[in-house]
């Protein structure tokens, strides 16, 4: 069963506009949720995570994400997009089937393009 | 410092070659991971090491052989690979605690001819 889903393969936004990259999860218990960004031919860079506590999580490069338990969502947001934000974004959850290993299960990714 | 290093950055090998990928971290992390990522796809778990011992093998073919010689190093030995094994191989590490973050290396781009 899918643990985390990114419903949009591609998101386009104009520079300076707010951006949202969507993620929904389906795990029992308390989910540990993460956002990573990947630039072309590069590894994954950690942006932010939600473990517990405040539903609004602030991360690197001005990004933030809101954990919404009732909607089982963890959307990534930024108030004002930059061209340099153009990249592939992955939502991830701690693998709910192997909690001991603490490996990540990734969504399919969303390619964000910020148009100048 | 949250750096994970991987060498080489790029590797081209024939199907009869033997090569190794190397991953190193000096953050004191005791869990290390190998992921495989095909183009435009999410990373997929291959192996997990906890305290230098293999804890998960995701039914990876034996032509991939992981090794963790010490707490800072993780190797992936490659032998008799197939062209479909061409991918970006990512190493990651983290503290053992479940809430801690996985940090990824830049990856090795492998091409099998």
């Amino acid at each position: 069963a899918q643990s985390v889903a990114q419903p949009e393969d591609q998101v386009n936004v104009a520079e300076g506009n707010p951006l949202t990259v969507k993620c929904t999860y389906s795990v029992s218990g308390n989910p540990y949720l993460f956002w990573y960004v990947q630039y072309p031919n590069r590894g994954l860079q950690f942006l932010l995570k939600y473990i517990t506590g405040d539903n609004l999580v602030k991360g690197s490069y001005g990004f933030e994400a809101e954990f919404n338990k009732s909607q089982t969502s963890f959307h990534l947001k930024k108030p004002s997009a930059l061209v340099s934000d153009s990249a592939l974004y992955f939502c991830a959850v701690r693998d709910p089937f192997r909690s001991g290993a603490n490996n990540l299960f990734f969504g399919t990714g969303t390619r964000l393009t910020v148009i100048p | 410092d949250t750096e994970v290093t991987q060498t080489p950055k790029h590797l081209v090998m024939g199907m009869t070659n033997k090569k190794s990928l190397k991953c190193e971290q000096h953050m004191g992390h005791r869990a290390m991971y190998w992921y495989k990522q095909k183009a435009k796809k999410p990373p997929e778990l291959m192996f997990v090491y906890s305290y230098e011992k293999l804890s998960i093998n995701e039914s990876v073919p034996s032509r991939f052989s992981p090794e963790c010689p010490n707490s800072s190093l993780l190797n992936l030995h490659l032998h008799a690979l197939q062209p479909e094994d061409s991918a970006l191989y990512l190493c990651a590490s983290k503290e053992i605690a479940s809430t801690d973050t996985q940090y990824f290396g830049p990856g090795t781009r492998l091409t099998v001819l």
Side-chain angles (χ1 to χ4, degrees), chain B residues 88-100:
Chain B
L88 182 68
Y89 288 84
L90 294 164
C91 174
S93 73
K94 68 180 292 295
E95 298 278 3
I96 289 293
S98 61
T99 57
D100 288 313

Side-chain angles (χ1 to χ4, degrees), chain B residues 7-108:
Chain B
T7 54
K9 290 185 179 180
H10 301 275
L11 178 62
V12 179
M13 59 187 293
M15 290 190 287
T16 59
N17 292 156
K18 285 185 179 181
K19 297 287 184 181
S20 296
L21 309 184
K22 179 180 175 181
C23 172
E24 192 165 6
Q25 56 88 14
H26 295 286
M27 296 177 279
H29 292 168
R30 303 305 296 274
M32 297 187 77
Y33 305 78
W34 281 115
Y35 290 85
K36 174 183 177 180
Q37 186 182 24
K38 302 285 275 185
K40 301 181 180 180
K41 298 291 185 182
E44 295 180 344
L45 182 68
M46 299 176 72
F47 302 104
V48 180
Y49 274 82
S50 297
Y51 296 106
E52 297 89 65
K53 294 192 184 305
L54 184 65
S55 60
I56 289 181
N57 176 340
E58 282 290 88
S59 301
V60 178
S62 59
R63 57 186 184 269
F64 295 90
S65 175
E67 178 196 22
C68 190
N70 60 57
S71 59
S72 300
L73 281 175
L74 186 66
N75 298 320
L76 187 62
H77 303 298
L78 314 173
H79 174 54
L81 295 192
Q82 304 297 310
E84 59 265 28
D85 296 322
S86 299
L88 182 68
Y89 288 84
L90 294 164
C91 174
S93 73
K94 68 180 292 295
E95 298 278 3
I96 289 293
S98 61
T99 57
D100 288 313
T101 301
Q102 269 188 49
Y103 293 98
F104 284 80
T108 294

